Amino acid sequence: MHPFVRSNASLIAVGVIGIALLVGLPLALELFTLLRVTLFVIFAILALSLAFIWGYGGILCFGHSAFFGLGAYAYAVSVINVGDSTLPIVIAMALPALLAAALGYFMFYARISDVYVGVITLTVTLIFYNVVNSTAGPQYRIGDVHLGGFNGIPNVPSLNVPFDPNAVLGPQDMFWVCMVALMLVYFGLRMLLRMRFGRVLIAVRENESRVEFLGYDARLHKLIAFSIGGAIAGLAGCLFTAWGGFISPTAFSVVQSAQIIIWLMVGGVGTLIGPMIGAALISWLTASLGSQQTVDANVVLGTVLLAFVLLVPKGIAPIVTDQLMPWFLSMCRSKPSVASVSRKDKT
Amino acid sequence: MDLAILVGIDFVNGVATLALMSIGLAVVFGMMRIINLAHGEFMVMGSYSAAVAYHHNVNIWVAILIVPPIAVAVIGAIIERVIIRRLYGRMVETMLATWGLSLFIVGILTTIFGSHTEGVPAPLSGIKVGNYQTSGYSLFVILMSVVTIVGVYVVLRATRLGLLARGTMQNAEMAAALGVDTSRIYATTFAFGAGLAGLAGGILAPISGVFPSIGGSYIGRAFITVIGGGPAPLVGTVTASAMFGFVNQLATFLSNPVYGEVALLVAAVILIRLLPNGITGRYFRRAL
């Protein structure tokens, strides 16, 4: 096998699976199911953003829904005002990134770490939730949009072809857009983590003071990582609003933040592939739980989170990377050659 | 003048409620370095046990003051044995596990009681202050908050159990070497904190109404007060709730309750930025 292929085998495997899903799912699934799968894909993007800042940056963010909700609201408000969805997507990523940068400057440059970052981010989410919830009156409007308080903003237009507001994307196009966005985010983060920035970031997670002794600015690295995570969460919020055509303050709720953390715990903190799978699995689980009456969804979610923290603290990612992926790769090879085995012995 | 008294009662009531909500969480955090994110649900279980007891014709005072702390302390002891025990020393994992626990309890409560609001009537009628009328129950809440804090002080300071608990928290190995059953001390402390949460839930039940998801509105404020207060459970809770309660009431007085809550949260963020270890991490370090 070509050395490039061998050293990037898992990346290529993810790419192949991604493209297979991108092409195959619209053919295999009914439109209704495809719509639901699109939502899972959007949540996978959201999971990736927290996977990056928590799993690799070591920043414990308990209020990640602040960025998700801000992106969602920024998109809703700007797309109704502008009409064309091109600029609103940019705004929906830029605003959460700015918020993250401001918060990050506030926290990391004061050397606040660990649990206290969790408290502050949670508090910020609560602030957003309270404020947006209270904007029910007619005086709360931005341009043509009533914020609507707890009723949310209805009738948000979906995405359109860039600079052509009349060419609105259909459900199937929406799936492709979300899937491509997910793959771009995944490979973008992978690339970032291989670059010098990503390596320093991981080093900061492992030992902040040692990294500083070596002359790197840990604060700046955390700040940038946090902003990138904010932007990605904003993108997820934007796609979420465009997908459903509706946004309400529950996007800011603590339950939403808890969900993202559950995806990560199930998938595995410290990986990128795990949280995507966790997001899809748990969203599928909650969606199917919502359609029956016997068990309360919170009981199941709580049990899942408890069980993973106590029994499977590494999540399901190790199962995927250590067992499924080699199996998938060995399926790709025709048969294990003697050469590759002996080469493995030498290294 | 009468109005000033009323506003004064409001301010003190805000502070007292906050302190009552936080004291259980603060004891567990200060003594055991554990953040129990299911604290709000512990309070809700206290409220429900009060409501159930009341509807079974238990005397109202017994239903809100005696039943909830006992019921929730027992549940807390069980939870400590099954879950918390496995996670000592791992703060983040404990937070995640108790977050799961809080979802679980909300779900169970919804399954048992449904999501409608149970009522417990306030056992005290209004009190006249000059030309105005104020709720007698809010004076009772202030009184109970003071009694609870003094009670916790006495338990920690003057009883053998409190002495053993403080010793174990300072140096568990040394305490164990001197013959203290430390795992039992941890369990008792956690149950004690849970009982305090139950008591708060019982006392607040007539004011806030009882429904499964109300714990979420308690935990945010309690959590912030405890972190803002820092490591010393009593002094930290009192100073932090005095400060946050004052800010909250002031903003509520000037605008509306929503911005009161927002002002509290903003004050908390600023306080944690200035004093990352809380008030008692910098001042009153040797206090309890």
Side-chain angles (χ1 to χ4, degrees):
Chain A
M1 213 186 272
H2 194 276
F4 175 79
V5 174
R6 200 169 48 242
S7 59
N8 293 293
S10 66
L11 269 186
I12 292 171
V14 172
V16 169
I17 295 173
I19 291 171
L21 290 177
L22 183 71
V23 179
L25 283 182
L27 298 174
L29 298 176
E30 294 171 51
L31 194 59
F32 174 72
T33 322
L34 191 68
L35 269 173
R36 265 173 66 174
V37 172
T38 310
L39 184 64
F40 302 163
V41 173
I42 295 169
F43 283 162
I45 298 176
L46 184 56
L48 274 183
S49 73
L50 187 63
F52 178 63
I53 65 169
W54 186 13
Y56 292 91
I59 304 162
L60 183 58
C61 182
F62 274 171
H64 208 55
S65 55
F67 307 118
F68 176 72
L70 187 62
Y73 265 90
Y75 174 78
V77 168
S78 53
V79 78
I80 294 177
N81 277 314
V82 176
D84 170 27
S85 73
T86 320
L87 182 66
I89 298 176
V90 179
I91 296 175
M93 291 177 73
L95 267 185
L98 276 178
L99 172 71
L103 256 183
Y105 180 76
F106 186 76
M107 296 189 301
F108 305 138
Y109 280 72
R111 304 253 172 232
I112 289 172
S113 62
D114 220 32
V115 179
Y116 301 99
V117 170
V119 183
I120 290 186
T121 49
L122 187 71
T123 314
V124 168
T125 309
L126 287 171
I127 294 176
F128 270 104
Y129 182 68
N130 278 311
V131 170
V132 176
N133 239 333
S134 73
T135 56
Q139 71 272 32
Y140 297 104
R141 53 189 302 161
I142 302 175
D144 299 333
V145 189
H146 288 285
L147 288 179
F150 44 81
N151 292 319
I153 305 174
N155 299 327
V156 183
S158 182
L159 299 180
N160 55 260
V161 176
F163 307 111
D164 184 5
N166 293 320
V168 176
L169 299 187
Q172 194 161 337
D173 307 319
M174 194 65 200
F175 170 75
W176 281 325
V177 167
C178 294
M179 200 66 201
V180 168
L182 176 66
M183 285 169 67
L184 283 178
V185 168
Y186 176 79
F187 288 110
L189 289 178
R190 271 264 157 274
M191 214 170 74
L192 198 63
L193 287 169
R194 282 200 179 177
M195 281 157 44
R196 184 190 171 90
F197 171 81
R199 285 160 191 270
V200 176
L201 184 67
I202 293 171
V204 168
R205 177 192 68 186
E206 295 298 325
N207 191 331
E208 193 166 335
S209 33
R210 195 173 291 177
V211 170
E212 301 224 309
F213 292 147
L214 290 171
Y216 295 101
D217 190 347
R219 303 170 300 182
L220 186 66
H221 281 82
K222 282 163 97 172
L223 181 83
I224 294 173
F226 200 49
S227 309
I228 293 172
I232 297 170
L235 173 68
C238 155
L239 292 172
F240 177 78
T241 316
W243 172 84
F246 171 71
I247 188 67
S248 78
T250 45
F252 287 113
S253 68
V254 175
V255 178
Q256 180 71 44
S257 292
Q259 287 250 8
I260 311 175
I261 285 175
I262 295 174
W263 300 338
L264 257 78
M265 285 309 295
V266 169
V269 182
T271 66
L272 289 182
I273 194 87
M276 293 198 285
I277 298 170
L281 269 182
I282 296 295
S283 324
W284 171 79
L285 183 70
T286 39
S288 8
L289 283 172
S291 57
Q292 51 85 46
Q293 296 291 321
T294 43
V295 193
D296 190 271
N298 279 324
V299 174
V300 178
L301 281 182
T303 313
V304 166
L305 181 53
L306 264 175
F308 271 89
V309 174
L310 290 173
L311 307 173
V312 203
K314 289 194 161 155
I316 55 175
I319 302 170
V320 176
T321 48
D322 299 346
Q323 285 166 17
L324 289 182
M325 209 56 100
W327 173 79
F328 181 79
L329 291 174
S330 69
M331 292 286 283
C332 295
R333 289 177 205 136
S334 51
K335 56 181 178 183
S337 62
V338 182
S340 73
V341 172
S342 63
R343 199 178 293 130
K344 203 178 265 174
D345 289 341
K346 274 177 209 159
T347 47
Chain B
M1 184 59 211
D2 299 339
L3 191 64
I5 292 176
L6 274 191
V7 172
I9 290 177
D10 250 16
F11 270 75
V12 178
N13 185 41
V15 173
T17 312
L18 204 53
L20 197 58
M21 274 183 203
S22 319
I23 184 74
L25 191 64
V27 166
V28 172
F29 173 68
M31 306 292 277
M32 303 166 73
R33 301 271 112 198
I34 281 178
I35 296 268
N36 173 19
L37 285 182
H39 178 76
E41 279 64 36
F42 280 26
M43 287 177 62
V44 180
M45 289 194 292
S47 303
Y48 266 109
S49 61
V52 169
Y54 176 73
H55 291 306
H56 283 79
N57 296 321
V58 177
N59 176 290
I60 179 77
W61 296 107
V62 176
I64 60 175
L65 293 180
I66 311 287
V67 175
I70 295 174
V72 180
V74 170
I75 296 173
I78 296 170
I79 287 172
E80 196 274 347
R81 183 123 310 190
V82 179
I83 298 168
I84 310 290
R85 170 153 303 189
R86 299 157 201 276
L87 297 168
Y88 281 133
R90 291 188 286 163
M91 199 165 179
V92 172
E93 275 91 342
T94 320
M95 288 172 86
L96 294 172
T98 49
W99 203 339
L101 183 67
S102 96
L103 290 174
F104 178 79
I105 296 174
V106 171
I108 291 286
L109 288 175
T110 316
T111 313
I112 300 175
F113 296 102
S115 47
H116 61 272
T117 307
E118 295 272 339
V120 179
L124 289 174
S125 53
I127 293 174
K128 264 199 168 333
V129 179
N131 296 323
Y132 301 94
Q133 178 108 358
T134 182
S135 138
Y137 198 73
S138 60
L139 292 177
F140 175 71
V141 170
I142 296 171
L143 176 72
M144 281 320 294
S145 178
V146 173
V147 168
T148 309
I149 287 165
V150 172
V152 171
Y153 179 80
V154 168
V155 168
L156 288 181
R157 199 85 225 190
T159 65
R160 181 173 166 73
L161 180 70
L163 182 71
L164 292 183
R166 283 184 292 135
T168 306
M169 305 317 158
Q170 266 184 19
N171 191 336
E173 275 178 27
M174 182 56 80
L178 292 172
V180 178
D181 185 351
T182 50
S183 85
R184 208 159 130 197
I185 294 288
Y186 283 128
T188 317
T189 312
F190 191 81
F192 182 55
L196 288 172
L199 178 66
I203 293 174
L204 295 179
I207 302 175
S208 56
V210 187
F211 52 95
S213 58
I214 194 177
S217 73
Y218 294 142
I219 182 63
R221 277 179 282 172
F223 186 29
I224 289 160
T225 309
V226 170
I227 295 287
L234 278 173
V235 179
T237 307
V238 173
T239 48
S241 28
M243 190 170 151
F244 293 151
F246 180 77
V247 170
N248 184 5
Q249 293 295 328
L250 189 66
T252 305
F253 185 65
L254 295 177
S255 55
N256 61 41
V258 173
Y259 288 110
E261 179 104 12
V262 170
L264 189 162
L265 297 169
V266 172
V269 169
I270 293 170
L271 180 79
I272 293 169
R273 167 70 156 81
L274 296 177
L275 303 171
N277 292 319
I279 296 171
T280 53
R282 172 77 65 89
Y283 310 106
F284 319 110
R285 276 197 186 183
R286 313 216 29 198
L288 187 62

